Amino acid sequence: MMVFSLKGKTAIITGGGSGIGKAIATTFAKHGANVCILDFNVENGKATVSEIEKDSGSASFYQCDVANQEQVEAIFSKIANNNAIDILVNNAGIAHVGNIENTNSEDLDRLYNVNIKGVYNGMKAAIPHFKKQKKGVIVNMASIASSVGISDRFAYSMTKGAVLTMTYSVAKDYVAEGIRCNCISPARVHTPFVDGFIAKNYPDNQAEMFENLSKTQPIGRMGKPEEIANLALYLCSDEAAFITGTDFPIDGGFIKLNG
């Protein structure tokens, strides 16, 4: 018997077309899940599905703006018509660099709509299905910025703090319904977003900046998307059946070993 098996389970993963979301999607598929990828980027979403299918996994893609409640609910209903929904991973999110003075209202609204409302929309759409089944698992992607101060991350920290407290609230409200809800709080993870950020902002010294960012983690490197995916796999598996209402930092020692 495979440890952390998701065989026969349907998992919805928002933002599953790239980065951490892609790693979660491919990892879940390798462990038997029927993976439903929701992503705004069609090319990325379809490419991830193709990769999973080439590896003999089961996956489907749905273009989705997670900030659009009607669209999210319609996709969840469509998926539920074919398969019971067992797992939701709210991974879709966007970043912003800036303190409160250089964060304008448009920046704030943009991050709110994806990082907060998107998580709300996913959970609101999933919970009625979970209640009918008397079981379900939610993993929300928070951040170390949920609980510690990060320079120039005002709006991002605000939204990820909301993800953390939404997780606690949903876990408390639905524990008697057989629904588990946890969140993962990564530190800096090496994704295409990081590479793009460095290339855009530090075109003349990319290697140096990559090394500097890596060294901000006490362990000496950035996390790997696959490491976050393995934690998500555990939390969504039956082996984690006694875990709910908990935040899991995965940060190379950032929170406890800095300062």
Side-chain angles (χ1 to χ4, degrees), residues 11 24 27 45 55 83 106 113 125 132 174 192 199 212 221 236 246:
I24 293 172
T27 298
D55 200 27
N83 300 282
E106 289 79 13
N113 285 333
K132 290 178 184 178
Y174 295 98
N212 290 342
R221 64 171 176 85
C236 292
T246 304

Side-chain angles (χ1 to χ4, degrees), residues 30 48 54 56-57 60 72 74 96 110 130 138 141 154 167 185 188 195 202 210 224 228:
K30 287 176 183 176
T48 302
K54 286 179 182 177
S56 301
S60 53
V72 172
H96 177 263
R110 183 171 57 89
F130 291 163
I138 299 169
M141 200 60 61
F154 171 75
T167 298
S185 288
R188 187 168 280 113
D195 291 335
Y202 307 97
F210 184 87
K224 301 174 184 177
I228 314 303

Side-chain angles (χ1 to χ4, degrees), residues 4-5 83 145:
F4 311 141
S5 174
N83 300 282

Side-chain angles (χ1 to χ4, degrees), residues 3-4 6 28 137 139 180 228-243 248:
V3 178
F4 311 141
L6 300 181
F28 280 22
V137 183
V139 169
R180 297 192 295 109
I228 314 303
N230 287 335
L231 177 55
L233 172 66
Y234 168 64
L235 292 174
C236 292
S237 72
D238 291 341
E239 282 82 357
F242 200 57
I243 300 174
F248 288 83

Side-chain angles (χ1 to χ4, degrees), residues 2-14:
M2 182 186 291
V3 178
F4 311 141
S5 174
L6 300 181
K7 187 175 181 179
K9 296 185 179 183
T10 294
I12 295 176
I13 302 167
T14 70

Side-chain angles (χ1 to χ4, degrees), residues 120-229:
Y120 158 79
N121 286 340
M123 292 196 292
K124 195 170 192 301
I127 285 171
H129 297 286
F130 291 163
K131 286 175 68 176
K132 290 178 184 178
Q133 302 160 189
K134 299 295 289 184
K135 64 177 181 177
V137 183
I138 299 169
V139 169
N140 296 321
M141 200 60 61
S143 166
I144 56 167
S146 303
S147 53
V148 298
I150 305 293
S151 299
D152 285 329
R153 296 295 187 276
F154 171 75
Y156 182 76
S157 298
M158 176 204 73
T159 61
K160 291 302 184 177
V163 172
L164 176 67
T165 52
M166 283 192 290
T167 298
Y168 291 155
S169 181
V170 167
K172 181 73 171 179
D173 286 341
Y174 295 98
V175 64
E177 303 280 355
I179 299 170
R180 297 192 295 109
C181 185
N182 296 292
C183 62
I184 295 174
S185 288
R188 187 168 280 113
V189 178
H190 184 199
T191 64
F193 173 83
V194 171
D195 291 335
F197 173 80
I198 293 174
K200 178 181 178 181
N201 293 279
Y202 307 97
D204 298 326
N205 57 341
Q206 295 184 45
E208 179 184 351
M209 285 309 303
F210 184 87
E211 185 177 356
N212 290 342
L213 290 175
S214 299
K215 288 179 178 178
T216 62
Q217 321 303 307
I219 206 167
R221 64 171 176 85
M222 298 186 202
K224 301 174 184 177
E226 293 76 18
E227 291 171 321
I228 314 303

